[in-house]
Amino acid sequence: MSRIIVHAEHLLNKISKNIYGHFSEHLGHCIYGGIYVGEESEIANVNGIRTDVVEALRHIRVPVLRWPGGCFADEYHWKDGIGPKRKRKKMVNSNWGGLVEDNSFGTHEFLELCRQVGCEPYINGNLGSGTVREMSEWVEYLTFPGRSPLTRLRMRNGREQPWKVKFFGIGNESWGGGGNMRPEYYSDLFRRYQTYLKDFGGNKLFKIASGPNEEDYRWTDTVMKLAGPYMDAIALHYYTVPGDFNNVKGSALDFTEAEYYTTLKKALKMERLIEKHTQIMDRYDPSHRVALIVDEWGTWYDAEPGANPQFLFQQNSMRDALVAALTLNIFNRHSDRVRMANIAQMVNVLQSVILTEGKKMVLTPTYCIYDLFQAHQDAALIDSDVQTKEVGTQGALIPQISVSASRNEAGELNLTIVNTSLDETDLAECRILGWEAGRVTASILTDDSHAYNSFASPDTVKIRAFDRLTVKKGEITAEIPPCSVVRIKTAC
Ligand code: AHR
């Protein structure tokens, strides 16, 4: 039995909806096939963008989308991706399979995707192999409202008005594939490049620095010290790999009980990373002006048997749903500093919310978590405490129950509860301080940890109504089944 205490009368900061953001890269079939099929395709599309995928993304209210990479961003030259498609310069995508990229999905197509999905764009500029001029001209092309040679070019390419582009990243993983830089060198480059990224008209850029990999605390310390005042955010990357990243990572569907708990334990490491990087940021930025954003996170397994290993295509099971739910609960609880997160990647790559195969589309268990958790978007965080026991296997013991709570503008209180145990139901007693018993509704995602949605059976794992709870004044008692995520909603 676990005890959850929710301080409903004590509202904290807003949980930015951008925590529910996504990431799309020119990698495998994320963009081509997964999102963009071209106007001539037999697959239903609007301006070349898949209608089924857009509808699914609108349903979970994707707030922000990062593009064009990842590693790809640091070899992407934006001018190759504008103008008539047949004239666009081709390039080799050297990071992801050495394929020839035809640049048919470029700036205009990405911003059209954001328009259709109803989300904000987050563009990641090329610091690794691009120039200051190239990056600064991209911002001018995108956002300058007046007439200049570049904006005339934009108009000739079909876009009269400037776009609104707030989120702009300066390099990706600059400690590694983005240039193998030292933090001192990166800090100087960041200061230099950001100088030439201007705010035009009413567009105000939010400048994002390439942040640390996992536990690289020296990176955060140095970049905050040397470039902190010039940035709006620093981006942490952390992937959950059950095995060894450089050897056998582990299979997406074929895993043991021990591997299940190890995966969840590794996902929970996110909390420690956020706390430690935040402590360092607090030294230089005690007012929390600079956001910590986690613009790449999620599970990373060995590619599916038979799939091109460079395309990073992996299936997605209930285990992934639990990783997503645990991680989003962590982000919610740390949302005073974490103000954006982008799961990697939106379609067909790593921990996707959507998988496609030709015309077919599948919504993954991770998608269902984004559906359940959308209630937290832009709601006020509420303090919650949990007393729970540990479950798991030797070497991988984890708390059985994880929680986050929020209250939205409509006065609704939402509680998302994860039961990580593979075999034990938890009788969770939730005391909600400052709450009179009212109408309570609940939904659940639960199944065997290996369950997944395939193209042949797309509705195996899905959200259902949940009624195994009793309500009395100030308290809800719920029987939370093993391997499940429950969302409880009530007026407050
Ligand atoms: O998401 C896949 C890759 O992982 C990204 O391109 C890179 O930034 C990270 O190493």
Side-chain angles (χ1 to χ4, degrees), residues 80-368:
D80 297 344
I82 56 171
K85 292 204 167 135
R86 68 196 146 73
K87 289 197 183 156
R88 292 189 191 175
K89 192 174 158 193
K90 296 187 171 51
M91 65 176 282
V92 179
N93 187 340
S94 71
N95 285 293
W96 305 118
L99 298 191
V100 175
E101 157 75 51
D102 70 1
N103 275 310
S104 54
F105 188 92
T107 300
H108 290 249
E109 290 75 20
F110 171 63
L111 288 153
E112 169 63 5
L113 168 66
C114 292
R115 184 193 69 76
Q116 291 187 27
V117 171
C119 68
E120 281 205 63
Y122 164 11
I123 290 185
N124 208 122
N126 178 348
L127 180 80
S129 69
T131 62
V132 180
R133 178 177 177 178
E134 183 181 8
M135 199 184 284
S136 119
E137 287 188 343
W138 203 1
V139 171
E140 180 184 329
Y141 183 88
L142 290 161
T143 62
F144 184 58
R147 301 229 157 208
S148 70
L150 276 169
T151 58
R152 281 203 195 90
L153 178 62
R154 183 187 75 216
M155 290 170 196
R156 280 202 300 281
N157 288 335
R159 176 75 187 191
E160 183 70 27
Q161 296 301 323
W163 287 282
K164 182 177 171 289
V165 177
K166 176 176 173 185
F167 299 112
F168 204 91
I170 301 176
N172 170 72
E173 297 193 347
S174 304
W175 40 262
N180 288 306
M181 300 175 199
R182 294 171 309 117
E184 293 82 0
Y185 181 65
Y186 174 76
S187 300
D188 281 343
L189 279 191
F190 180 88
R191 290 167 62 134
R192 176 172 169 227
Y193 274 64
Q194 70 79 35
T195 306
Y196 302 96
L197 305 184
K198 306 289 182 184
D199 290 338
F200 292 117
N203 193 73
K204 172 104 182 67
L205 292 175
F206 182 93
K207 297 169 184 169
I208 300 166
S210 171
N213 188 31
E214 303 192 11
E215 288 162 308
D216 186 352
Y217 300 115
R218 192 174 104 74
W219 183 276
T220 303
D221 190 70
T222 309
V223 174
M224 281 301 294
K225 181 162 58 196
L226 299 179
Y230 300 89
M231 69 179 70
D232 295 299
I234 185 163
L236 164 70
H237 288 183
Y238 174 59
Y239 285 97
T240 297
V241 181
D244 174 358
F245 186 83
N246 296 312
N247 194 359
V248 179
K249 297 183 184 70
S251 155
L253 294 180
D254 185 12
F255 53 89
T256 62
E257 185 181 339
E259 283 169 326
Y260 166 88
Y261 285 114
T262 302
T263 309
L264 299 196
K265 191 174 167 73
K266 288 191 171 182
L268 286 166
K269 183 176 164 190
M270 183 67 89
E271 184 142 36
R272 199 166 75 241
L273 292 173
I274 291 172
E275 284 167 356
K276 287 192 158 188
H277 286 292
T278 296
Q279 270 171 21
I280 294 167
M281 292 175 76
D282 283 353
R283 275 187 230 143
Y284 303 100
D285 175 41
S287 68
H288 286 206
R289 183 190 65 78
V290 179
L292 177 65
I293 72 173
V294 189
D295 65 9
E296 287 188 32
W297 69 273
T299 51
W300 193 326
Y301 308 120
D302 295 318
E304 290 301 314
N308 182 335
Q310 307 256 26
F311 285 7
L312 311 187
F313 178 83
Q314 61 190 41
Q315 249 300 350
N316 193 290
S317 71
M318 267 306 291
R319 173 176 62 161
D320 296 274
L322 267 77
V323 167
L326 291 172
T327 308
L328 291 170
N329 272 345
I330 293 171
F331 291 157
N332 286 345
R333 293 197 304 265
H334 291 275
S335 50
D336 58 332
R337 187 62 99 165
V338 179
R339 298 202 281 273
M340 190 197 292
N342 310 73
I343 191 168
Q345 299 191 4
M346 193 162 72
V347 187
N348 290 333
V349 170
L350 300 177
Q351 191 176 350
S352 307
V353 291
I354 294 176
L355 302 176
T356 65
E357 188 181 77
K359 281 186 178 168
K360 293 186 204 148
M361 178 185 81
V362 149
L363 305 177
T364 65
T366 298
Y367 177 94
C368 300

